[in-house]
Amino acid sequence: MDSQVALMVIDVQVGMFHENNPVYNSDVLLRNIKLLIEQARSSKTPIIYIQHSARPGRALEHGTPGWKIHPDILPRFEDEVIQKKTPNSFYETNLQEVLLEKGIKKLILTGIQTELCVDTTCRHARSLGYEVTLASDSHSTWARGELSAQQIIAHHNRLLCWFANVEKSNNILL
């Protein structure tokens, strides 16, 4: 175990898996994140969950069933859960303080939504000097306009290589 690394799980909340419009490739996404979490637990790597709190009436409205972290990957007592209100997991949160307190220098990023919260957090983490690894098959989104979810994910995996090491989940060692 590298004591300076943490696994981040961004916005993997019940509301992202609505039966009428679930996030792209949701079963594979959950399976890959779950495997990374299991690996992190076995190596005692810290796990940090980021939980989005949306405005009233939204799928991730604070305190609603959709706001809860997905039951397949629930945090444990020793895990950190950080609340956020914007796509940036660092903005107006205590994430930076938690990372400094734990001596974290490397982040493994997973989660939802590829082009918003995952992208923004990845770029901000790199600008703060963190070594970032993006789990290329452990983040997801929905189709937008003429772009499919698969195209958005592939595009960000190529683009974010400027800010992170981009690796498949099974190539990431925790």
Side-chain angles (χ1 to χ4, degrees):
M1 171 193 76
D2 184 342
S3 62
Q4 295 182 317
V5 68
L7 174 65
M8 282 183 60
V9 180
I10 302 170
D11 300 350
V12 182
Q13 295 165 248
V14 173
M16 300 297 212
F17 297 83
H18 190 277
E19 63 187 39
N20 294 334
N21 188 23
V23 69
Y24 172 74
N25 221 4
S26 59
D27 292 340
V28 172
L29 174 72
L30 283 171
R31 183 179 68 233
N32 290 342
I33 293 173
K34 195 172 184 177
L35 288 172
L36 286 169
I37 288 171
E38 289 169 3
Q39 187 181 357
R41 292 203 194 294
S42 69
S43 67
K44 300 197 182 335
T45 297
I47 302 170
I48 300 169
Y49 290 81
I50 306 296
Q51 188 174 23
H52 191 85
S53 294
R55 295 186 308 266
R58 300 285 182 122
L60 303 182
E61 177 183 343
H62 185 88
T64 65
W67 170 78
K68 294 180 179 178
I69 293 172
H70 195 282
D72 285 2
I73 59 157
L74 287 176
R76 293 187 182 165
F77 176 78
E78 65 271 14
D79 301 328
E80 295 283 340
V81 179
I82 295 174
Q83 304 296 316
K84 70 173 181 60
K85 294 181 180 178
T86 72
N88 186 343
S89 298
F90 289 91
Y91 183 71
E92 294 183 349
T93 72
N94 67 334
L95 177 57
Q96 175 71 343
E97 290 81 9
V98 167
L99 296 174
L100 290 171
E101 178 183 296
K102 293 181 177 294
I104 303 298
K105 299 199 182 320
K106 302 174 188 175
L107 298 172
I108 310 298
L109 296 186
T110 68
I112 306 168
Q113 185 168 347
T114 298
E115 73 279 21
L116 294 171
C117 303
V118 174
D119 177 286
T120 305
T121 300
C122 178
R123 291 170 189 254
H124 195 128
R126 183 66 189 112
S127 73
L128 291 172
Y130 292 98
E131 181 183 321
V132 180
T133 297
L134 175 64
S136 64
D137 53 358
S138 296
H139 63 92
S140 191
T141 191
W142 292 263
R144 284 186 171 253
E146 67 280 353
L147 296 177
S148 70
Q150 190 174 9
Q151 289 172 315
I152 294 168
I153 292 165
H155 172 74
H156 279 77
N157 282 338
R158 285 189 302 273
L159 179 70
L160 291 174
C161 73
W162 290 95
F163 304 93
N165 301 312
V166 180
E167 297 284 342
K168 287 193 176 280
S169 296
N170 60 2
N171 292 335
I172 297 172
L173 300 176
L174 293 169

